Amino acid sequence: MGVLNVTPDSFSDGGRWLDPDAAVEHGLRMVAEGADVIDVGGESTRPGAEPVSSDEELRRVLPVVEALSGHVRVSIDTRHAEVAEAAIQAGATLVNDVSASLAHVAAAAGAGWVAMHMQGDPRTMQQAPAYDDVVAEVRAFLVERADAAEVTEVWIDPGIGFGKTMAHNLSLLRHLDQLVATGYPVLVGTSRKGFLGKLTDNAPADDRLEASVATAAWAIAQGAGMVRAHDVAPTVEAARLLDR
Ligand code: HH2
């Protein structure tokens, strides 16, 4: 899954793809590099991000979804029902839902659904994340949401970095097999995230390629069915190597 943020403020590619033509061109480049899905988002959910109105989100994403959906499977990365609905009308077939609350929208439209775990909301989620047993709690939450969804295609995602400390992120990755064992296909997004910076001498977001690919490869080796990546070519190369 290639990441396409049509936002001014995403943590690693904010502002780069705000122009729809530039966004579509970048999406097609990721398809040429081997992405099977392009994940179009119009609202940053980085820690501390301010919410965006649905009107503004729609203005950003719709032309891009429309243009790309003739070429590749498009997912819509949103927390808002009206944005998911309009994006599906425009050609998206997967709702990438960091709020894990839009199953009804995907069900009504016959689209697939990704349920991601998040503790709190983006504005405050990194202030004091706390769990008794992060792996068990994330797993229980995702299974409950997935079981309740009347959607034929459901993915679960531990939500790396969404209300999680470094130790929580590492535990979830270490025990990813426990999510895989639920039988639901697992999506994992580590690409360029802050915890990788901390693990690599404070490398900035655009200098976390090796860490991003290494953690994607780890996730695939543990049984993840999809990884969400900004740097598609090296991630696909790593995935193909693992297949061999
Ligand atoms: N991470 C981000 C956004 N959407 N969706 C899923 N399913 N899983 C993730 O881990 C995930 C996600 C955050 O990354 P990014 O889109 O690069 O940044 P921003 O939220 O600043 O736009």
Side-chain angles (χ1 to χ4, degrees), residues 3 5 7 9-13 39 43-46 77 96 98 114 116 157 159-160 162 187-191 193 228 230:
V3 180
N5 289 316
T7 62
D9 58 342
S10 288
F11 76 93
S12 81
D13 58 353
D39 189 37
E43 179 191 46
S44 173
T45 48
R46 75 184 194 289
D77 185 352
N96 177 23
V98 302
V114 177
M116 197 198 79
D157 181 329
I160 297 297
F162 284 83
L187 168 64
V188 178
T190 58
S191 189
K193 284 191 175 164
R228 187 175 178 279
H230 298 83

Side-chain angles (χ1 to χ4, degrees), residues 46-192:
R46 75 184 194 289
E50 290 295 330
V52 168
S53 74
S54 293
D55 281 352
E56 174 60 16
E57 207 181 329
L58 281 167
R59 202 186 57 74
R60 293 176 185 173
V61 297
L62 280 188
V64 180
V65 170
E66 228 162 57
L68 286 177
S69 57
H71 300 272
V72 65
R73 184 171 201 194
V74 172
S75 67
I76 177 70
D77 185 352
T78 189
R79 303 186 283 161
H80 303 118
E82 55 273 40
V83 174
E85 277 159 6
I88 292 167
Q89 288 286 324
T93 61
L94 187 62
V95 178
N96 177 23
D97 176 9
V98 302
S99 70
S101 64
L102 300 178
H104 60 290
V105 175
W113 180 56
V114 177
M116 197 198 79
H117 177 276
M118 167 162 58
Q119 187 179 79
D121 72 76
R123 253 176 320 121
T124 55
M125 66 190 177
Q126 289 308 105
Q127 288 172 6
Y131 304 82
D132 289 328
D133 179 338
V134 67
V135 176
E137 286 169 45
V138 168
R139 178 187 152 123
F141 170 85
L142 291 173
V143 167
E144 188 203 306
R145 291 293 164 106
D147 284 352
E150 292 180 7
V151 180
T152 46
E153 179 191 3
V154 179
W155 293 78
I156 60 172
D157 181 329
I160 297 297
F162 284 83
K164 318 256 168 26
T165 63
M166 163 79 82
H168 297 142
N169 290 327
L170 292 179
S171 267
L172 286 163
L173 289 172
R174 174 69 184 85
H175 298 289
L176 208 58
D177 57 339
Q178 293 192 30
L179 289 188
V180 173
T182 63
Y184 288 107
V186 173
L187 168 64
V188 178
T190 58
S191 189
R192 300 184 183 174

